[in-house]
Amino acid sequence: MHDSSRPALARYVQSIVSPWGDIAVAHIQVVVNMDDVPEDAFKEQDMLVNQHFLTRYFKDATSWVLPALYVLLKDLRRLAQKADAVPFRGTQGARMEDAARTCNKAFSFCMSDRNPVAESRRWGSYYLAGLVMKCYFKIHTISLSRNIIRGLKSNPEVPALGQFPKLHQLTYRYYVGLLSFLNEEYAQADEDLTFTLHTCHEDDTRNQERILTYLVPLRLLRGQLPSDAVLCRYPALRALYTPFLSAARTGDLSSYDAALNAAEGRLFRLGIWYIWEKARDICLRGLFRRVWVATERGTRIPVAVFHAALVVSGGDSVSVEEAECLVANMIYKGYMRGYISHEKQMVVLANKNAFPRLRERTSPYV
């Protein structure tokens, strides 16, 4: 066939049972345009899914057709990404927004299905939820993900998450964990991301690295540092995180701050700058513990000694008052046990367990 244009193919539409003729013609247009004109290929795919597959077929079908829907929507998202990558093609991310709307429409069709459970389209709910959230994260409309999560939780007819395929669970819980992480709900984020790491295929290092990008700093706050053997499997992550982890182990505050400044741009892009800034307390605790050890684990240490340690560690501009405030903050957060005598400018530490293990803190994410 030399002419693959839509008018030339129109006569074949009626030769296949509706709506498959229209779907076939639209698919040919996608294949023809996907390399040279990705925006046109995306429009054809969007029309294929929206006008033909969902509206004319899927809304009355049962669960057997879900695999076909998954492929169509995955292709739609990839084409949207390819179309948005072409410069000077209108609003950045516009095609991904359209793809998100189409995926959301398919999600609604699944959620509203009234067929018996065994053949219900609701079995596609969590897969589509993960796909919709993937689109939302791509175009930075992350807050819209909460509507998806709320819809799933409020629909009692959707089977329990544990009954769905592991792949569906993994993708959904990854994005739920990521959303919790960005909203500083760290305990929930830790639970979901740990599940995804344990569920992820052992050879899928790419997705493991994505999960560990957020899980490593979460576990650091709980006093769990990854071994070198673990980080060796992920060279990019090792290069990014080793300066922080090394400084945290030794209490080297100046090295930690230097690493934070050097990687600031990348940390912001990944959405993890704040938690690494928060994890600076781990390094500060290490520095103060070294002070305590240097004073032969004394229980009465002048504030001036902690101030001197901060100055030596690169905090030239830190005043005595700021040093006192930092020590008080360490005590409040449970990194140290004791109190400060402001009048005498003395830090009084507990006789036993003055520096509790990090994993013993009752509120590790404070």
Side-chain angles (χ1 to χ4, degrees):
M1 183 183 295
H2 299 289
D3 189 355
S4 58
S5 65
R6 182 174 287 278
L9 296 173
R11 65 179 184 274
Y12 297 105
V13 170
Q14 301 302 322
S15 62
I16 308 176
V17 176
S18 178
W20 299 104
D22 290 307
I23 290 174
V25 170
H27 180 67
I28 292 172
Q29 301 307 305
V30 171
V31 173
V32 169
N33 290 293
M34 62 185 301
D35 291 327
D36 299 327
V37 194
E39 186 166 354
D40 287 351
F42 169 78
K43 290 178 181 178
E44 290 289 348
Q45 183 75 5
D46 194 40
M47 181 173 65
L48 184 162
V49 177
N50 248 321
Q51 296 183 19
H52 304 312
F53 190 81
L54 288 179
T55 306
R56 297 169 58 187
Y57 185 77
F58 183 74
K59 67 183 181 66
D60 298 317
T62 54
S63 60
W64 78 269
V65 79
L66 285 172
L69 177 67
Y70 299 160
V71 173
L72 291 173
L73 291 179
K74 281 175 64 179
D75 288 347
L76 180 69
R77 186 188 174 279
R78 288 168 181 164
L79 288 167
Q81 193 166 348
K82 192 171 183 178
D84 283 335
V86 178
F88 311 113
R89 286 282 184 176
T91 306
Q92 184 67 30
R95 296 307 171 213
M96 191 61 74
E97 288 183 21
D98 293 339
R101 277 192 288 270
T102 299
C103 291
N104 203 351
K105 181 178 179 181
F107 173 74
S108 298
F109 276 139
C110 287
M111 292 287 286
S112 61
D113 187 29
R114 291 295 177 265
N115 284 309
V117 175
E119 56 185 21
S120 175
R121 296 192 304 269
R122 290 192 294 271
W123 288 109
S125 299
Y126 279 102
Y127 180 92
L128 294 176
L131 196 59
V132 174
M133 288 193 286
K134 194 172 185 178
C135 294
Y136 287 157
F137 271 79
K138 184 67 177 179
I139 57 179
H140 308 295
T141 55
I142 298 170
S143 60
L144 294 178
S145 298
R146 291 202 173 276
N147 297 331
I148 300 296
I149 298 170
R150 194 179 301 116
L152 286 165
K153 289 182 176 179
S154 63
N155 191 333
E157 296 182 357
V158 176
L161 178 58
Q163 298 181 44
F164 284 76
K166 288 291 185 182
L167 176 62
H168 299 197
Q169 297 181 48
L170 191 153
T171 305
Y172 175 76
R173 291 194 65 173
Y174 170 75
Y175 284 105
V176 170
L178 202 51
L179 184 64
S180 297
F181 181 95
L182 296 174
N183 284 288
E184 299 175 36
E185 299 165 356
Y186 294 135
Q188 184 62 51
D190 193 322
E191 180 182 334
D192 286 318
L193 292 174
T194 299
F195 171 86
T196 61
L197 183 65
H198 292 164
T199 308
C200 193
H201 194 278
E202 61 180 4
D203 295 328
D204 190 359
T205 55
R206 181 183 177 188
N207 280 328
Q208 289 169 10
E209 184 170 321
R210 288 178 177 174
I211 297 165
L212 287 169
T213 298
Y214 302 94
L215 197 54
V216 167
L218 282 173
R219 290 301 179 88
L220 176 60
L221 292 178
R222 291 172 51 185
Q224 299 174 11
L225 279 72
S227 65
D228 291 335
V230 170
L231 288 180
C232 280
R233 295 189 63 194
Y234 317 100
L237 202 62
R238 183 186 185 189
L240 179 63
Y241 283 176
T242 294
F244 295 103
L245 298 173
S246 298
R249 284 189 176 98
T250 59
D252 189 345
L253 203 59
S254 60
S255 294
Y256 193 96
D257 289 340
L260 204 58
N261 290 330
E264 184 178 49
R266 188 174 178 192
L267 296 179
F268 268 115
R269 287 193 296 273
L270 291 169
I272 54 177
W273 182 89
Y274 177 73
I275 197 167
W276 280 110
E277 168 67 19
K278 191 179 186 69
R280 186 178 184 270
D281 286 345
I282 307 293
C283 191
L284 187 59
R285 172 197 177 274
L287 176 64
F288 286 171
R289 191 178 187 282
R290 288 168 63 189
V291 170
W292 175 63
V293 171
T295 59
E296 298 181 351
R297 303 175 186 266
T299 58
R300 298 172 66 84
I301 305 173
V303 172
V305 175
F306 289 102
H307 174 248
L310 288 167
V311 172
V312 170
S313 190
D316 297 337
S317 60
V318 176
S319 65
V320 176
E321 290 77 13
E322 288 175 300
E324 182 180 354
C325 183
L326 288 171
V327 173
N329 201 35
M330 288 287 102
I331 294 172
Y332 169 75
K333 292 181 177 181
Y335 290 109
M336 300 165 59
R337 293 178 64 236
Y339 65 91
I340 298 176
S341 174
H342 178 71
E343 182 181 355
K344 297 181 179 180
Q345 286 291 285
M346 188 70 66
V347 179
V348 182
L349 295 173
N351 286 319
K352 294 182 179 180
N353 203 21
F355 285 82
R357 292 184 177 183
L358 292 172
R359 64 186 61 186
E360 294 175 0
R361 294 173 64 221
T362 55
S363 303
Y365 304 118
V366 173

